[in-house]
């Protein structure tokens, strides 16, 4: 009795054994990832913390007595804005891109306020963002938006980095950060300062100086304020890389997103920023509402704490817009917004 195999005669008279096809198909099926399988391992500690934090934020938003506790909301808004300013003007425009220089008092202020945002060490934030700009939306980008909205927004923080991201990160020049004594002091004392400035001080001041309720203070300052700061920052990586116009370079994914700009103190003009990352303004718009960070950097420049502010000339911007933009620029575009 012949062996139990299937064969198909080919036009040249040879025989093609379908056993090979079946084996190949089985191998392909095994290599495909299931819905609950990921390219890298999950950081369960991070994932759990983020889930619990957002769950408590949702509960706080539903149960918070807004009218009775208006002062706490105002305090949360003020401290959130201060922390966001330190992210945008500090770790982003100053330490990552060196778009201006800052004297010691301003660097100390920015580092202090940044540590009230509850994020990673300054060194790690700067390194990851420099990788992002050098390898934007590629496999080497820590929060590659090609992997979807969820991943670029928060998923990348819940998963271990790909080897290629780690390898490219090792090639990033971080000499300037390692030589900055302010950064080194804060990063060396990360655990203490992060806990103190993110979780203790924002709660301590309303309770002990303004006699506010302990429960509602904790809810507003930790669960609402902290979660808000995180998501506003993350929105630049997600919303501003997916939704919006590409007025300066239509070939890249970063976009101009007005809503992100309003929430993130002017960081939503992201297509401009990726084309001109050295511009301290990170946008063409000069208004306080749409670019709050620029306003504060200009203020510190006037009092002498910030200097050597870098910017792009209007002529150069126009040339880039007319050659690379998608036609949506508010002045030089083919279609006026």
């Amino acid at each position: 009795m012949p062996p139990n195999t299937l064969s198909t005669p080919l036009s040249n008279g040879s025989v093609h054994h379908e056993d090979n096809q079946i084996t190949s198909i089985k191998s392909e099926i095994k290599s495909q990832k299931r819905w609950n399988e990921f390219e890298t391992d999950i950081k369960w500690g991070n994932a759990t913390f983020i889930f619990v934090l957002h769950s408590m934020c949702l509960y706080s938003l539903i149960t918070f007595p807004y009218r009775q506790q208006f002062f706490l909301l105002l305090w949360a808004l003020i401290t959130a804005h201060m922390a966001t300013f330190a992210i945008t003007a500090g770790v982003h425009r100053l330490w990552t891109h060196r778009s201006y220089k800052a004297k010691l008092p301003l660097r100390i202020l920015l580092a202090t306020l940044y540590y009230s945002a509850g994020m990673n060490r300054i060194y790690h934030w700067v390194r990851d963002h420099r990788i992002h700009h050098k390898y934007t939306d590629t496999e080497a980008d820590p929060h590659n938006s090609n992997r979807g909205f969820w991943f670029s927004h928060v998923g990348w923080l819940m998963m271990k980095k790909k080897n290629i991201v780690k390898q490219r990160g090792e090639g990033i020049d971080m000499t300037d950060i390692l030589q900055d004594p302010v950064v080194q002091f804060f990063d060396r004392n990360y655990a203490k300062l992060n806990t103190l400035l993110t979780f203790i001080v924002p709660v301590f001041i309303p309770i002990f100086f303004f006699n506010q309720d302990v429960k509602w203070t904790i809810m507003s300052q930790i669960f609402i304020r902290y979660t808000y700061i995180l998501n506003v920052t993350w929105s630049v990586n997600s919303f501003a890389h997916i939704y919006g116009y590409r007025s300066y370079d239509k070939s890249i994914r970063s976009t101009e997103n007005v809503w992100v700009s309003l929430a993130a103190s002017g960081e939503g003009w992201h297509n401009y920023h990726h084309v001109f990352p050295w511009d301290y303004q990170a946008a063409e718009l000069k208004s306080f509402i749409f670019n709050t960070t620029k306003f504060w950097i200009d203020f510190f420049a006037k009092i002498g704490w910030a200097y050597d502010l870098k910017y792009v000339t209007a002529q150069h911007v126009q040339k880039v817009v007319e050659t690379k933009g998608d036609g949506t620029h508010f002045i030089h575009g083919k279609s006026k917004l």
Side-chain angles (χ1 to χ4, degrees):
M1 184 175 181
N4 186 22
T5 60
L6 298 175
S7 61
T8 303
L10 302 181
S11 59
N12 60 4
S14 62
V15 176
H16 171 70
H17 291 282
E18 294 188 0
D19 281 349
N20 294 334
Q21 286 185 327
I22 294 172
T23 302
S24 176
I25 292 172
K26 287 182 178 179
S27 299
E28 184 178 346
I29 292 174
K30 288 181 180 179
S31 67
Q32 292 177 349
K33 292 181 174 60
R34 298 178 181 177
W35 69 270
N36 61 343
E37 294 178 331
F38 300 94
E39 294 185 26
T40 55
D41 293 335
I42 296 176
K43 291 182 176 179
W44 287 108
N46 283 14
T48 302
F49 176 79
I50 291 171
F51 174 78
V52 171
L53 178 66
H54 283 73
S55 298
M56 292 304 299
C57 176
L58 180 61
Y59 172 77
S60 300
L61 289 171
I62 294 173
T63 61
F64 193 81
Y66 294 94
R67 289 186 178 181
Q68 297 88 334
Q69 301 296 336
F70 178 77
F71 173 83
L72 288 176
L73 287 179
L74 182 62
W75 174 248
L77 181 64
I78 292 172
T79 54
H81 176 77
M82 293 167 66
T84 302
F85 164 70
I87 296 169
T88 59
V91 289
H92 188 209
R93 302 189 195 185
L94 173 64
W95 280 303
T96 297
H97 295 297
R98 297 294 175 182
S99 61
Y100 70 99
K101 295 178 182 178
K103 292 185 178 179
L104 182 62
L106 180 54
R107 299 210 316 277
I108 293 174
L109 176 64
L110 289 171
T112 302
L113 294 179
Y114 169 76
Y115 265 70
S116 72
M119 295 195 174
N120 214 335
R121 288 176 172 84
I122 295 175
Y123 178 93
H124 293 141
W125 201 104
V126 171
R127 181 199 60 196
D128 285 351
H129 198 69
R130 286 179 178 177
I131 299 172
H132 166 64
H133 270 267
K134 190 171 183 177
Y135 305 102
T136 306
D137 292 321
T138 67
E139 288 300 302
D141 185 346
H143 36 81
N144 176 12
S145 67
N146 284 303
R147 296 180 65 179
F149 175 88
W150 173 257
F151 178 83
S152 60
H153 189 75
V154 65
W156 68 284
L157 294 168
M158 299 182 185
M159 301 171 65
K160 293 182 179 179
K161 292 178 179 177
K162 284 186 170 184
N163 288 331
I164 189 173
V165 177
K166 296 178 182 178
Q167 292 167 1
R168 295 295 185 269
E170 292 173 356
I172 298 297
D173 184 7
M174 297 292 291
T175 306
D176 57 328
I177 302 301
L178 293 173
Q179 293 177 347
D180 190 320
V182 174
V183 173
Q184 292 308 301
F185 171 79
F186 276 82
D187 281 359
R188 278 198 308 269
N189 298 280
Y190 172 78
K192 296 177 183 177
L193 292 175
N194 187 57
T195 302
L196 175 67
L197 297 173
T198 301
F199 302 108
I200 297 178
V201 172
V203 172
F204 177 85
I205 292 177
I207 292 175
F208 288 93
F209 288 95
F210 298 97
N211 197 31
Q212 297 296 307
D213 181 83
V214 174
K215 173 185 175 181
W216 299 123
T217 301
I218 292 174
M219 281 190 167
S220 62
Q221 305 312 309
I222 295 180
F223 300 131
I224 296 177
R225 179 194 71 95
Y226 181 36
T227 307
Y228 171 80
I229 293 171
L230 293 178
N231 281 277
V232 164
T233 306
W234 298 341
S235 68
V236 179
N237 301 330
S238 54
F239 285 100
H241 270 262
I242 299 175
Y243 307 108
Y245 300 104
R246 296 176 173 88
S247 305
Y248 302 90
D249 190 344
K250 60 180 179 291
S251 68
I252 59 179
R253 286 181 61 83
S254 55
T255 66
E256 301 287 283
N257 191 303
V258 63
W259 300 110
V260 174
S261 294
L262 285 170
S265 301
E267 293 294 276
W269 311 116
H270 214 49
N271 191 252
Y272 179 97
H273 173 62
H274 269 265
V275 176
F276 310 111
W278 61 87
D279 190 335
Y280 87 97
Q281 304 167 110
E284 282 190 273
L285 296 180
K286 316 298 182 184
S287 70
F288 172 79
I289 295 177
F290 292 105
N291 199 351
T292 312
T293 302
K294 175 192 177 300
F295 171 85
W296 285 114
I297 294 175
D298 287 341
F299 167 78
F300 285 111
K302 288 181 180 179
I303 66 173
W305 285 17
Y307 61 102
D308 285 355
L309 279 58
K310 301 176 184 176
Y311 61 91
V312 185
T313 64
Q315 293 79 6
H316 184 52
V317 170
Q318 179 179 353
K319 182 178 180 181
V320 171
V321 167
E322 292 175 347
T323 56
K324 295 185 177 182
D326 64 358
T328 59
H329 190 271
F330 62 99
I331 296 176
H332 308 300
K334 296 177 183 178
S335 58
K336 304 297 187 292
L337 298 181

